[in-house]
Amino acid sequence: MGLVVQKYGGSSVADAEGIKRVAKRIVDAKRNGNQVVVVVSAMGDTTDELIDLAEQVSPIPAGREFDMLLTAGERISMALLAMAIKNLGHEAQSFTGSQAGVITDSVHNKARIIDVTPGRIRTSIDEGNIAIVAGFQGVSQEGKNITTLGRGGSDTTAVALAAALDAEVCEIYTDVDGVFTADPRVVKKAKKIDWISFEDMLELAASGSKVLLHRCVEYARRYDIPIHVRSSFSGLRGTWVSNEPQGDQKVEHAIISGVAHDVSEAKVTVVGVPDKPGEAAAIFRAIANAEVNIDMVVQNVSAASTGLTDISFTLPKSEGRKAIDALERAKGTIGFESLRYDDQIAKISLVGAGMKTNPGVTAGFFEALSDAGVNIELISTSEIRISVVTRADDVNEAVRAVHTAFGLDSDSDEAVVYGGTGR
Ligand code: ASP
Ligand code: MG
């Protein structure tokens, strides 16, 4: 008998009908002879609604209470799901993250899982129950406060439980049929990927692909837990994410795995920086001290006559204010002329381990963008990724152009989006 962990996202359990549909699917997995542990997200947009509510009461809600509030969303769905399963004649028990043994650090709103002690879950399934666990939450080791893992954190809960319970697979059910060669909401001709390596999936997630969270894939790779991403609406076989393809998992896209895009970043330009040693260090030390994470960095050639240069970097829009404040404070000691902040940018990335050994990928990428009339503002690369920053207005067209140029378009319109918002 195998142990399967299944995770259902908010759009799969958006209403009573959805919960009943998911309950049937869970019961099927149990009938097939598996032990089943289910991780569930909050119904539909519940988390967003709770956040709105908190902000109406207090502009900067206290982390502890905020987490207490947000975890209520998953409590609702887990209890309803357990009821729906019982209604189908099977035994089910629901557990909060804390009851399931999800132990985290004390960083409210984006806690990290540091240990999973799933004793109660093990007992429950050994007694023949289906265990339903509230995703996205845990309890802090120090202080024993309720924490949340950051938006979309239920995926990480699922993989962490799969690892702790030594599950055969972690199935992530979502509102698309798997991982696609581009966001199917943007590219109608995106192709479903049959199998993708942890390595490529990590780069896609880091580049803005929302189907799986970076942290979740990182966790799965560390514990070698295969992930099967699939739709709770269609029942089709989805995308396998693992170290090596297994059985009949096809490896189709030898060179390029996909195109990802991200509109959540902004660009800061520090104008008129003296071109001498220590300046860049001072700028990024100020940013680091403000605990802001940056992404790309570019320094322009200094015009010899002025001895000044510009440094641009990108960062999440949500950190923009903090970064600008930190630089303004340090302006006197660092010495630069001015700051520019631009949040109308997009990042487009091409990902694939095959580009390590195939010349011409960068040229092809830039040609596709130029043919589409898209201007490139910043460039960064890793061994298996090329990213550019463009105007936000150009993003959809740019993604489609690159997707077509690299032969990723499918012959059929197989990319179906069943619901939700891509998260
Ligand atoms: N409900 C949480 C969110 O919307 C966690 C999740 O969906 O994974 O971010
Ligand atoms: Mg959600």
Side-chain angles (χ1 to χ4, degrees):
M1 193 157 76
L3 196 163
V4 185
V5 173
Q6 300 188 325
K7 178 259 169 176
Y8 293 92
S11 51
S12 298
V13 292
D15 52 21
E17 276 320 303
I19 290 175
K20 288 199 267 184
R21 185 171 45 79
V22 163
K24 283 209 196 86
R25 190 176 274 279
I26 295 168
V27 165
D28 284 345
K30 173 84 174 154
R31 280 217 192 93
N32 286 340
N34 297 296
Q35 286 192 308
V36 185
V37 174
V38 175
V39 173
V40 70
S41 296
M43 295 170 70
D45 298 325
T46 304
T47 308
D48 292 305
E49 287 158 16
L50 292 173
I51 292 172
D52 288 347
L53 203 52
E55 283 166 358
Q56 287 175 45
V57 173
S58 158
I60 307 170
R64 182 185 184 280
E65 306 314 321
F66 196 57
D67 278 353
M68 196 62 106
L69 175 72
L70 294 195
T71 54
E74 271 71 11
R75 271 194 187 224
I76 294 171
S77 49
M78 74 178 192
L80 290 171
L81 191 52
M83 291 175 198
I85 292 171
K86 280 172 178 281
N87 198 45
L88 296 173
H90 286 257
E91 287 310 316
Q93 287 184 325
S94 61
F95 298 90
T96 64
S98 166
Q99 289 176 323
V102 179
I103 319 279
T104 71
D105 63 20
S106 303
V107 185
H108 285 295
N109 294 320
K110 48 177 179 190
R112 273 186 181 270
I113 297 176
I114 50 184
D115 195 13
V116 182
T117 51
R120 288 185 72 176
I121 303 300
R122 176 72 73 189
T123 306
S124 177
I125 56 176
D126 284 348
E127 286 170 354
N129 297 297
I130 294 166
I132 317 286
V133 179
F136 161 69
Q137 53 179 274
V139 60
S140 61
Q141 191 164 52
E142 283 165 35
K144 303 279 176 285
N145 287 308
I146 298 299
T147 53
T148 61
L149 309 178
R151 295 309 305 271
S154 300
D155 291 7
T156 313
T157 305
V159 170
L161 270 172
L165 292 163
D166 202 15
E168 275 172 16
V169 56
C170 180
E171 295 184 330
I172 305 243
Y173 285 90
T174 181
D175 52 15
V176 287
D177 280 314
V179 180
F180 283 79
T181 48
D183 184 344
R185 289 173 175 80
V186 172
V187 182
K188 287 278 159 293
K189 294 216 169 291
K191 252 191 271 191
K192 189 177 77 192
I193 300 172
D194 205 57
W195 172 85
I196 184 169
S197 66
F198 282 134
E199 197 190 12
D200 278 16
M201 193 63 234
L202 277 172
E203 285 283 357
L204 282 175
S207 306
S209 162
K210 291 187 198 65
V211 61
L212 284 180
L213 240 67
H214 190 270
R215 247 189 210 187
C216 149
V217 184
E218 221 176 15
Y219 210 105
R221 177 167 69 167
R222 183 163 357 120
Y223 293 94
D224 199 11
I225 300 293
I227 300 178
H228 186 185
V229 186
R230 55 199 306 197
S231 163
S232 66
F233 296 83
S234 74
L236 294 175
R237 169 180 164 145
T239 301
W240 283 85
V241 190
S242 64
N243 258 325
E244 295 286 337
Q246 250 142 51
D248 58 351
Q249 293 164 15
K250 286 188 297 243
V251 190
E252 283 163 286
H253 313 290
I255 301 180
I256 300 301
S257 285
V259 187
H261 70 277
D262 189 353
V263 291
S264 69
E265 295 196 340
K267 181 172 81 172
V268 174
T269 303
V270 190
V271 181
V273 181
D275 195 8
K276 59 177 181 17
E279 287 294 315
I283 288 170
F284 291 104
R285 174 53 61 201
I287 301 287
N289 287 346
E291 289 192 39
V292 171
N293 260 318
I294 56 155
D295 183 13
M296 299 183 181
V297 180
V298 169
Q299 174 171 331
N300 295 337
V301 185
S302 106
S305 56
T306 61
L308 297 176
T309 168
D310 295 348
I311 294 180
S312 296
F313 61 91
T314 63
L315 76 181
K317 278 179 192 164
S318 54
E319 311 266 86
R321 188 72 263 158
K322 261 201 290 182
I324 294 289
D325 287 349
L327 287 172
E328 288 291 0
R329 274 197 306 274
K331 188 173 178 190
T333 44
I334 301 175
F336 55 84
E337 279 168 5
S338 60
L339 292 173
R340 249 185 265 144
Y341 183 73
D342 177 358
D343 60 5
Q344 294 304 307
I345 62 160
K347 183 171 79 169
I348 296 150
S349 306
L350 190 63
V351 172
M355 68 174 73
K356 272 191 256 195
T357 47
N358 279 274
V361 173
T362 308
F365 185 39
F366 294 171
E367 278 158 12
L369 292 170
S370 117
D371 290 347
V374 173
N375 188 44
I376 300 172
E377 300 184 11
L378 303 181
I379 302 167
S380 86
T381 63
S382 82
E383 265 202 312
I384 64 167
R385 174 186 53 78
I386 314 168
S387 303
V388 297
V389 165
T390 68
R391 288 291 91 207
D393 286 344
D394 289 335
V395 64
N396 289 354
E397 206 184 326
V399 171
R400 285 185 208 121
V402 171
H403 196 266
T404 304
F406 281 88
L408 298 172
D409 288 356
S410 89
D411 311 325
S412 59
D413 285 339
E414 61 175 332
V416 185
V417 178
Y418 298 95
T421 53
R423 177 54 264 158

